[in-house]
Amino acid sequence: MTVPVHLRTVHPRKLAAVRREVAPNEVGSAWGPALAKVWEFIRKQPDLWTDGHNVFVYHHANEPGAPLVCDFGVEVVRSFESGGAVHETETPGGEAVVAVYRGPYAGLDDAYAAIDEWTTASGRESAGLSWEIYGDPTPDPADTETTVVLLLAPRP
C-alpha cells in the first residue's frame, strides 16, 4: 500500500505523557502500561482533557538498534503539575513530513516506508524526532486513521 506524504509546517501539541526508554522491538509491549498511567492521571485532573488523541513521541537513537526514548502521551488542553511518572511535554513545531495512514496498526510500517522514500528522494534529513497521532478507533480497523509525523532537520 502506498501512503501519501506531505510536507507541512506542524505546531506543538501539549501532552501529558510517561517517558520510557525501550528497545525498538519493545515499543508494542511498553505503550499500554505507560498510557494507562497517563489516563489514570488525566481522569483525576478536572478539565485537563477534552477530546485529544493518544500521541507517541519517539526520540530517535543515534546508533541503529539502540534504545528509543518514547513519550507515550495524550493531548491535553492546559499546563499541569507533574504527578508520579506523568509529566508535561509537547511535540515540536517546525517543518515535517506527514503521512496519514488508514488501516490496522500492523500496517503502520507502510507510512514509515513512504516517509523514508520521500526523505531519500528529497535529500532531506530527520531532526531525530517523530510521532504518531492515533485517531479514534473505528469498528472496521481498515477505517482507523493514524498520522505519522517526522520532524525535518533545517536545510543547510
Side-chain angles (χ1 to χ4, degrees):
M1 163 193 253
T2 301
V3 179
V5 297
H6 302 281
L7 183 63
R8 300 262 195 264
T9 298
V10 296
H11 302 282
R13 293 170 180 256
K14 189 177 298 295
L15 306 175
V18 168
R19 179 168 283 185
R20 295 287 183 253
E21 186 174 302
V22 297
N25 63 346
E26 293 176 359
V27 171
S29 61
W31 71 265
L35 207 57
K37 289 180 185 225
V38 175
W39 279 107
E40 179 183 355
F41 178 85
I42 285 173
R43 287 183 185 100
K44 296 176 184 173
Q45 304 293 319
D47 303 321
L48 181 59
W49 176 84
T50 55
D51 63 353
H53 295 284
N54 294 336
V55 178
F56 299 171
V57 180
Y58 304 105
H59 304 258
H60 301 187
N62 292 328
E63 300 292 325
L68 289 170
V69 174
C70 305
D71 288 311
F72 298 109
V74 176
E75 288 179 284
V76 295
V77 296
R78 63 173 172 79
S79 292
F80 61 93
E81 293 288 326
S82 296
V86 179
H87 70 282
E88 182 179 329
T89 189
E90 64 183 20
T91 62
E95 194 172 31
V97 180
V98 179
V100 178
Y101 168 76
R102 285 179 182 80
Y105 299 135
L108 269 175
D109 285 348
D110 291 344
Y112 284 98
I115 288 172
D116 287 345
E117 184 177 307
W118 186 94
T119 54
T120 299
S122 68
R124 298 296 301 271
E125 294 185 11
S126 167
L129 287 168
S130 64
W131 55 99
E132 299 164 348
I133 305 164
Y134 290 88
D136 296 328
T138 60
D140 181 353
D143 296 327
T144 299
E145 183 176 286
T146 307
T147 302
V148 178
V149 182
L150 175 72
L151 188 67
L152 293 171
R155 292 182 189 261

